Amino acid sequence: MTESLLALASPVFTIAREAVGALARDCVRLVIDEGVEGLRTMEAQFVASGIGAPGPPGLMLHVDGSEFDFGTDIEVAVGGEGNQFVVFEGAVSGLEVVLGDSEPPRVVMLAEDRLMRLRMTRRMRTYTDVTDADVVRRIAQEHGLDADVSAEGPQYDVLQQVNQSDLAFLRERARLLQTDVWCSGRTLHFSDRPARRGEKITLTHGSDLLTCRISADLAHQRTDVTVGGYDARAKAVIDERAGADTIEAEASPGRTGPKVLEKALGASAGIRVREVPQTTAEASAWARAEMLRRARRFVTARGLTRGMPQLTVGSQLRLELVGKPFDGDGYYVTQVTHTYDNVRGLRTSFEAERATLNEAA
């Protein structure tokens, strides 16, 4: 039997462990977005007239608080029978009414996952004698979350959170180490990329991969990266370097960006000056992270698939029939947007990156 290219099954909205059929019935648009920096967001639009609506001048549907209100915990699943996945867990954070010309009114629900509380908590605080993992665990505990940490980070004498939200501060720590931040249920994750084992998915152009644009670009590649500073306690210059071998441990077989760069244009070194390390351990960790950041994005892909709710940030993709240099495994998904409407059904767009090109013939 030919498989449909449209996923028309309505999303399932669950509140207090019960599916709310009226929300599924009236949903005309749904957008769920997430990236490696954390904070999954949702926007759902519902027709506010029709069955059960009193009509003018009566109240519209979905605005009286009987179904949801600010702070209501909500879960959303998408996908047809046998392929349904929960793609959002969070709390309602916003409510809108859209009144158009000669159009039925719409109610818009806005929601965010549990990282919303971290986003809304701003602090001036100093941490002493801690690692990045210690900071993550402390912030998670303060927000009533469990912590799943696979990236320890160096030991810091002093870390300062200067007029930053807890989420912004965690994102800064993650950027310096090139780790991912996200929340699943009531667990805050701070994970090295190899430890984030997402589902392995194969996408084939002309089948489940509807459109795709893939690019390999040397503009931001470097053959090595140096981070320097001065260790006042040791009274010594800090000069730490990360080379092309940094990416080899997690790269799929093929030609990495640093190697292609050196062969094509010669050696090109980078110097990181945005942050000033206080110790050799800090400089070493930051140099490694900067090399990873550049090398991981040697090959980037942006694509659109038919409804694929199992596709998440951290998924490991295999792309097929996309051109010999780009075919194969090794793509890491960094951004996912699930979109549903009552015309095209469910669509999933993604961004992914890979550190290698396939070997030339």
Side-chain angles (χ1 to χ4, degrees), residues 59-307:
L59 296 175
M60 296 180 294
L61 295 173
H62 314 307
V63 293
D64 63 357
S66 62
E67 296 163 328
F68 63 87
D69 203 348
F70 293 99
T72 298
D73 288 333
I74 188 164
E75 180 181 287
V76 182
V78 297
E81 185 177 353
N83 190 40
Q84 193 172 86
F85 289 79
V86 174
V87 292
F88 182 82
E89 295 177 86
V92 176
S93 59
L95 177 67
E96 299 178 0
V97 172
V98 181
L99 304 173
D101 182 14
S102 302
E103 297 178 352
R106 295 187 181 189
V107 169
V108 181
M109 175 204 295
L110 305 174
E112 300 178 356
D113 70 14
R114 287 184 172 85
L115 291 182
M116 174 173 59
R117 293 301 307 159
L118 278 69
R119 177 179 65 79
M120 299 175 71
T121 304
R122 186 174 294 270
R123 304 180 196 270
M124 299 280 290
R125 183 159 66 180
T126 299
Y127 301 84
T128 58
D129 193 25
V130 293
T131 64
D132 293 284
D134 294 332
V135 172
V136 174
R137 294 187 183 102
R138 177 172 173 178
I139 291 176
Q141 183 180 33
E142 290 171 342
H143 290 278
L145 301 174
D146 297 323
D148 179 17
V149 181
S150 69
E152 191 69 26
Q155 187 82 20
Y156 303 96
D157 291 337
V158 175
L159 274 183
Q160 290 187 307
Q161 183 177 348
V162 182
N163 194 26
Q164 291 175 291
S165 70
D166 285 348
L167 180 57
F169 188 58
L170 287 186
R171 285 173 168 175
E172 179 184 341
R173 307 322 306 164
R175 175 183 61 81
L176 288 169
L177 299 180
Q178 283 302 290
T179 61
D180 291 359
V181 176
W182 77 99
C183 193
S184 60
R186 303 196 65 85
T187 301
L188 173 63
H189 301 268
F190 189 83
S191 175
D192 284 326
R193 184 166 293 187
R196 186 176 186 175
R197 292 297 180 183
E199 186 170 348
K200 294 183 178 180
I201 298 172
T202 297
L203 298 177
T204 304
H205 182 237
S207 177
D208 36 26
L209 181 58
L210 302 180
T211 66
C212 193
R213 179 169 181 169
I214 309 176
S215 171
D217 193 346
L218 292 175
H220 300 288
Q221 295 301 301
R222 298 294 182 268
T223 51
D224 61 79
V225 171
T226 299
V227 173
Y230 186 77
D231 187 332
R233 179 176 296 178
K235 297 182 179 180
V237 172
I238 298 172
D239 186 25
E240 290 296 305
R241 172 186 172 277
D245 58 327
T246 304
I247 192 61
E248 299 293 338
E250 66 178 51
S252 57
R255 298 174 289 163
T256 65
K259 288 184 177 180
V260 173
L261 173 64
E262 186 165 22
K263 183 177 180 181
L265 302 175
S268 178
I271 301 176
R272 183 166 184 163
V273 296
R274 183 173 176 177
E275 294 87 16
V276 179
Q278 303 300 310
T279 66
T280 297
E282 290 178 31
S284 178
W286 296 353
R288 176 182 178 275
E290 177 65 5
M291 195 66 191
L292 287 176
R293 182 186 71 83
R294 292 177 178 274
R296 284 170 173 171
R297 292 190 57 78
F298 176 40
V299 178
T300 57
R302 295 184 178 185
L304 176 68
T305 77
R306 60 185 180 84

